[in-house]
Amino acid sequence: MEDAGFILGSYFLTFATVGLFAWRTLRSGRKLADQIPDDDKYWL
Amino acid sequence: MTTIDPARTELQPSEPPPQRRSTGTRATRLVGIGCITAMGWLVAFGLGFSPADRDQKESVRILYVHVPTIWLAYLAFVVTAVSSGLYLLTKKQSLGWDRVAGASAEIGVAFVAVTLAVGSLWGRLTWGVFWQWDARLTTTALLFVTYIGYLAVRRLGGSHQQRAKRSAVLGMIAVIEIPLVHFSVKMWRSLHQEATVANLDGDTKMDGIMLFSLFVGVIAFTFLYVWLMLHRTRAMAMEDMLEDRGLDDALIARRAEAANQQNGAH
């Protein structure tokens, strides 16, 4: 594939950013959920 | 013969059920599975099945992630504006709308950052440069900076209602930039190509499998947006609860301190 570095790099950049954002969102949610009783979690 | 251990037959005091340590539910798991599956399809079609373009050659593959990310950023900022409006215009002024607006803006900012970074790689291959102060690129950069400002305004001090009011006003003003970004290629002379799919004459000049690859990208990122929104709004609700609890604790401690001082004086 011509220009494979740029093309694969753009996919890597996208998925790395998305993965990092998703991981950060899950981690902060878990930390906060530890400090809140289940009764206050409206989604349960 | 079996022996009965008396310690094991005693009634144990009932323990509270363990805390649920996440913002996940069955719905988020289903959306997450949908997202991962669609992302797999995106990689397969974007890098494999889809052919090279006659003019752009292999660099067209970058557009299968570049275009969906900016579409989703537009969607995220429109959701921010609509939620901001609902917060301001409804009688109840529910903080739930404010949290939807804030979570959506955070996701939108991340998507615009990806759009700008990936777009600069595409620009290097197509135009020979990573960046040009072209109308489309400049207005997109302005959109990014505006919503960084929106997130900064959300972090200013004050009560939740104060935060919600000032950010709702900004969220409704900032959305005006979206048509400016989208139509910048028509309003000014621009290096950037015009819209291929979302054009006003409704004529999509695109090969079927290329259009399908783009469609798969949009579906994958829409699943991702929904998944992130569900988790982030729940986390934001807990952040607000903890802030309120911290304030209540500080008030109780301050009142107790004042009462002790009064008793000491008598």
Side-chain angles (χ1 to χ4, degrees), chain B residues 84-157:
Chain B
S84 299
L86 285 169
Y87 170 78
L88 284 178
L89 300 176
T90 50
K91 257 188 186 173
K92 201 181 158 197
Q93 295 210 317
S94 164
L95 283 172
W97 290 122
D98 170 63
R99 289 192 281 265
V100 169
S104 194
E106 282 181 11
I107 298 164
V109 165
F111 280 136
V112 177
V114 171
T115 303
L116 287 170
V118 169
S120 72
L121 293 176
W122 178 82
R124 177 69 181 78
L125 292 178
T126 312
W127 305 327
V129 285
F130 285 106
W131 184 263
Q132 270 286 320
W133 289 104
D134 162 85
R136 171 59 71 81
L137 276 67
T138 308
T139 49
T140 309
L142 188 68
L143 184 76
F144 178 64
V145 173
T146 304
Y147 278 91
I148 291 275
Y150 170 87
L151 294 179
V153 164
R154 289 187 67 84
R155 279 164 180 73
L156 293 175

Side-chain angles (χ1 to χ4, degrees), chain B residues 56-97:
Chain B
Q56 298 186 33
K57 303 201 170 52
E58 298 287 351
S59 72
V60 73
R61 297 182 191 284
I62 295 177
L63 300 187
Y64 303 132
V65 287
H66 176 67
V67 177
T69 50
I70 194 63
W71 278 357
L72 262 295
Y74 287 172
L75 171 73
F77 296 146
V78 168
V79 169
T80 296
V82 171
S83 312
S84 299
L86 285 169
Y87 170 78
L88 284 178
L89 300 176
T90 50
K91 257 188 186 173
K92 201 181 158 197
Q93 295 210 317
S94 164
L95 283 172
W97 290 122

Side-chain angles (χ1 to χ4, degrees), chain A residues 11 30 34-36 41, chain B residues 19-21 61 245:
Chain A
Y11 276 71
R30 279 190 183 154
D34 273 346
Q35 302 169 60
I36 299 281
K41 295 170 189 158
Chain B
Q19 287 270 99
R20 289 285 293 272
R21 289 193 64 242
R61 297 182 191 284
R245 195 196 283 173

